[in-house]
Amino acid sequence: MSGTNEHPPAYDPAIVEPKWRRRWEERRTNTVDLTGAARPFYNLMMFPYPSAEGLHVGNVFAFIGSDIHGRYRRLQGYDVFEPIGFDAFGIHSENYALKVDTHPAKLIPRNIVRFREQLRRVGLMVNWEHELSTTDPTYYRWTQWVFLQLYRAGLAEKKAAPVNWCPECKTVLANEQVINGFCERHPEIAVIQRVLEQWFFMITRYAERLLDNLATLDWSDTTRTAQVNWIGRSDGAELVFETPVGEPIAVFTTRPDTVFGATYVVLAPEHPLVERLTAAEHRSDVNAYLRHVAQTDLVSRKVGGNDKTGVFTGSYARNPATGETIPIWIADYVLMEYGTGAIMAVPAHDERDFEFATAFGLPIVPVIEPADGVSGTLPFTDWDGTLVNSGAFDGLGCREAVGAVTRWLEERALGAGRVQYRLHDWCISRQRYWGPPIPMLYCDACGTVPVPEADLPVILPPLENFRPDESGISPLARNEAWYRVPCPTCGGPARRETDVSDTFLDSAWYFLRYPSTGFDDRPIDATVTKKWLPVNTYIGGNEHAVLHLMYSRFITMVLHDLGHLDFEEPYRTFRAHGMIVKDGAKMSKSRGNVVVPDEYIGQWGADTFRLYMMFLGPYLEGGDFRDEGIIGQRRFLDKVWDLVGAVTAGAPEPNEAVRKLHQTVRGVTDDIAALHYNTAIAKMMEYVNVLRGAGEVPAALVEPLVTMLSPFAPHFAEECWERLGHEGTVFESGWPTFDADLAREDQVEIVVQVNGKVRGRVRAVAGLPEETAVTLAREDASLRKFLNDKTIRKTVYVADRLVNFVI
RNA sequence: GCCCGGGUGGCGAAACGGCAGACGCAAGGGACUUAAAAUCCCUUGGGGGCAACCCCAUCUGGGUUCGAAUCCCAGCCCGGGCACCA
C-alpha cells in the first residue's frame, strides 16, 4: 500500500460526509438519554411545513444557525436535546393538494420523506428518535386533548362571527388570502363577508398576563415589541350615553378628556342596538346601508383612511358630560370586535371622526386648545393641550383631565376607567378538511358535549372529495357515516362537529410533545417534562413573532393553570434570526425565486454550504441569497485540512501563534454565544492565516481550532479529529478555554492624534502608565509639524490605544 | 398612516464613541505549468505627490463630543409587519 511519495488524501466531502452520518447513526451520537441526562439543554428550532417544493435555503439557514447553537452547548458539556418534526396539517397543504389533484394523505408522507432526506444531508444534530408529525393520530389525539382542556377550563366558546367568503371558490378565506378585497385565486372576484358559527379560544382573558410576563423573558427585542404591539393595551374609560329605548350605549374611549366635544355617537353595523334605535322613517336607508356593508369583505373594510360611509338612525343619545342630545349614526369605520362596538365621536380631536363629520355635515366643537396657545388646525389630536368649552374642567391639561373627567362621570354612574386590548379571541374553527377534527358533539337532548378523552383521537376520516363547497360547511359534513354517532352521555342520536382546528393549534404545543413522544397513553409525561422544559433556547423567524409565539405562550399558561405543567412560559430564551431573501424579495413560489439547497450541498458538501450560509451575513439580520463566494469556504476547509495533515508532535513554544489561538478562542466563544456566526468564522480564518505563516504547527494549536469549527462543519471536524489520532466524536472534546494572559498583546501601537486626526503612531509596551505614553507620543517625530510651538490645551489618553492632543 | 429593521469599497460585510473597510468574493499583476485548472505571492475606496506624506470618503442636512459609521434631531431611500383599534 504505502508508496514512497505518499501524499495525504485531499479533502473530499463526498466521502467524509456520508461516513460520519453513518457513524452518528450507528453510534447514536446525536441521541441524548432523556431520563439520565445530567445537564439537560433543550435546543428548539421551528419545525417546517413539509411543502412540495422541499426545504429552501431560508429554512436551512434557520436550522443551521440553531444547530450550531445546539452543538456549541453540547461542547460546553450540556446534554442537548435537538428534535425536529413536521407541521403537516393546514390550508397550505390542502390548497396545494387541490391544485395538483392529489389527496394530502398521499402527498404529505411523500413530502416528509423528501424533507427527512434533505435535513439529514444538512448534518443537523437532530435526535430522530423523537420525530413527530402533526398529522399523525398519535399526535393529533393530544391536540384534541388540548382543545378539551380549554373547553373544560371554560376557555373555548362557540359563537357567530363574520368570515371572508369568496363566491367563486365558494369557501371561507383566511385574512391572508384576501388581497385588497379580492380573492387571491380570483383577482376579479370581490370577497364578501358571511356570518358563521365558530369555536373561539378566549385568549383575551390572558392578555394582561401575556403582556406582563414579556418583561421577564430573555427574548429578542424585536419579537417582544411585536407582541406588545399585538396585544395593544389601551388605557381609557367606558362612558355611558343614554338613549330613548332604555338601554344606553356604552362607548370605549382613550380620551375621556374630550367628552365635552362628542357631537354624535356611532354604532358598528353589527351592534345589537342598531335594530331598536332605527326610527321607522329611516328604516329603509339603514337596511340599504347594512346590505352594502355585508357586500364588503372584512379586509377592505378595514383598509382605510379614505371614504367614510354611514347612515343616520333617526335616534338621539345624551352626552353624559354636556347633557345635550346628539345624533346616533351607523358607520362601518366602527368595528364591532374592538371596545364596545360603539364610539363617541369627537370630530375636533380625532382624524376619523373629523372626516366623517365633514362628509355628513355634523357639528365640530373644539374642546382642547393646543399648548402653544396657537389655535392649530383641526383635528388637533395631541395630548399637550388644555381643556376649553368643558365646564368646570376648563384649563386642565389633557392628561390630568382624563382622570378628573372619568372620576366625575363615575360618581354619577355614567362612566368608569377601563383597559382595552387589541388582541382578539382566537378563532380556531376551519371549515376545511386537512386538520384535526374538533372533538365536540351536538346531541339533541344534551346539547354540546365534549368527546370523552378516552375516545380520542377523533380520526380524520378518509374523504375522496375534500373540496370545500358553497355551503360554508366543512367537507366532513358530507360524510354522514362519520358524523352520526351516539351521544356519549345519553346514548341518543348526536352529530360530530365537522369543522377542523386551526394549524396554529397543532404548533402551539409541539415542543411539549417532543420529549414525551415515547408515551402513547399521555400527552406530556410529568417526569421527562420536568427535566427538559421549559425550552432553553428557541431560535426562529420573526414571521412567527406574534401568532405562533403568542398562541404557544397562551396554551402553556392554560395547561399550567390546569395543573398539567409547572411553568407558565414555554421558552426561556428566544432569538429571531434574519430572513434570507432573493433579489431583495421574500422567497415564494408565486415569485418564482425559491432557491433549494440540494444542488449546492451536492456540489460542495453540507459543511462548506453550512459555513457559507453562516458567512453570508449576520445571522440575526439575514440577507440576500447569492452563490458567489462559496469557494472561499471550501478554500478555508482545505487549508484547515492541510494543517491537520501536517501537525507536529510536542508542545507549542509561546509565540505569536499561541497568542492568536487564545485570542481566537476568546473571540469565537463570544461570537457564537451572541449568534454572531459570520465574525466567528472570520476569526477562525484569521487564525488559520497566522498558522500557515508559522512554520511547524504542533497538534495542540490545531485541535482547539477543529473543535471550534465543529459546530459549523461537523462532518469535516469529525474527520479531522480522527486524523489527529482521536477516537470517538469531536463533540465530546469539550469547548476550548483561553488564558487571558496568553491572549494579551505585549506590544501595542498607540495612535497619536492632533485634534482628532491621526498624525502618527508609536509602538510601545502594553500597559504603559498614562504619563509615559503621553510623553512618548509627544516626542514622535511625525507630530512636530502639527504641534510645533502651539500650546496643548488638553490631552486625551485611551490606554494602549490612542493619545489625542487638542491644540 | 403606524410599528420594527436596514443604508459603509466592484460585491457580501467588519468596526466597547477611539487607526473606517477585519474576513471573504471578484478583479488586475506575477510565480508554477507545454497549456488550462488548482495552488502560491503581490496590488486593489477615490484623488494628489518621485517620495515620506497630504486631502476627500460610512444615504442627506444639522447637533453633541477632544474625537461620530456608531449618540441626538430632521429628512430621503430600501425591506418586513400591522392596518379606520376609538
Side-chain angles (χ1 to χ4, degrees), chain A residues 12 72 90 220 231 235 243 278-279 284 288 330 361 450 467 472 524 630 648 664 677 686 716 756 792:
Chain A
D12 183 359
Y72 163 68
S220 292
I231 295 169
D235 289 87
T243 70
T278 301
S284 65
I330 299 166
R467 191 174 291 274
I524 306 159
I630 297 186
T648 58
T664 303
Y677 298 142
E686 281 184 58
F716 175 87
I792 294 170

Side-chain angles (χ1 to χ4, degrees), chain A residues 152-365:
Chain A
R152 295 256 150 73
L155 291 166
E157 240 175 52
K158 198 168 197 190
K159 57 188 183 188
V163 293
N164 298 305
W165 179 265
C166 171
E168 189 65 25
C169 304
K170 299 180 169 62
T171 185
V172 173
L173 300 180
N175 279 344
E176 51 271 27
Q177 296 177 286
V178 181
I179 316 291
N180 294 327
F182 293 90
C183 172
E184 69 171 355
R185 280 194 279 169
H186 302 99
E188 73 291 354
I189 302 290
V191 172
I192 61 170
Q193 61 173 299
R194 230 174 127 161
V195 175
L196 296 175
E197 288 272 306
Q198 319 255 16
W199 280 99
F200 282 85
F201 282 168
M202 313 276 107
I203 190 172
T204 50
R205 291 200 206 154
Y206 280 69
E208 201 176 337
R209 238 161 112 194
L210 288 165
L211 182 65
D212 291 348
N213 281 8
L214 281 174
T216 70
L217 300 176
D218 173 25
W219 279 27
S220 292
D221 286 336
T222 51
T223 314
R224 217 198 314 246
T225 307
Q227 293 222 341
V228 168
N229 293 340
W230 189 261
I231 295 169
R233 180 187 161 116
S234 290
D235 289 87
E238 190 169 312
L239 306 183
V240 175
F241 286 67
E242 286 161 348
T243 70
V245 298
E247 197 171 328
I249 296 169
V251 306
F252 173 73
T253 177
T254 53
R255 297 297 301 265
D257 54 316
T258 65
V259 64
F260 285 88
T263 54
Y264 62 103
V265 167
V266 190
L267 304 178
E270 303 83 0
H271 196 282
L273 286 175
V274 162
E275 177 63 25
R276 284 158 67 194
L277 286 170
T278 301
E281 66 275 24
H282 291 270
R283 172 74 53 194
S284 65
D285 286 352
V286 168
N287 285 348
Y289 184 68
L290 296 182
R291 269 198 305 278
H292 159 77
V293 171
Q295 297 291 306
T296 321
D297 72 289
L298 291 170
V299 172
S300 62
R301 174 172 160 190
K302 290 180 184 179
V303 169
N306 30 23
D307 309 342
K308 294 276 180 292
T309 61
V311 67
F312 179 44
T313 59
S315 299
Y316 294 83
R318 208 167 137 260
N319 181 317
T322 63
E324 287 165 15
T325 42
I326 56 176
I328 303 170
W329 285 67
I330 299 166
D332 69 353
Y333 81 93
V334 175
L335 308 173
M336 193 59 221
E337 67 269 22
Y338 186 77
T340 60
I343 61 155
M344 66 173 199
V346 185
H349 306 294
D350 182 278
E351 306 258 0
R352 297 148 300 177
D353 298 345
F354 183 83
E355 244 177 76
F356 190 82
T358 308
F360 291 94
L362 291 156
I364 300 170
V365 179

